[in-house]
Amino acid sequence: MTTYGTMVVPVPLGRAASVLRELCAAGYATSAGPRFCLVHPDR
């Protein structure tokens, strides 16, 4: 999967690293509430 857009994922921020590893090589995440985060793939 290749994307450069922001995605809302239904995991807390503490689990965002594993989501990023599945989606892309680099990126960052920010909290979007207690059970969601925004994932920003970088490449």
Side-chain angles (χ1 to χ4, degrees):
M1 182 170 126
T2 302
T3 183
Y4 294 98
T6 302
M7 296 172 279
V8 176
V9 293
V11 298
L13 186 57
R15 291 186 48 214
S18 62
V19 172
L20 282 170
R21 278 192 296 272
E22 290 179 23
L23 295 175
C24 61
Y28 63 95
T30 56
S31 180
R35 290 182 280 157
F36 293 90
C37 66
L38 302 174
V39 176
H40 310 274
D42 194 26
R43 54 188 158 97

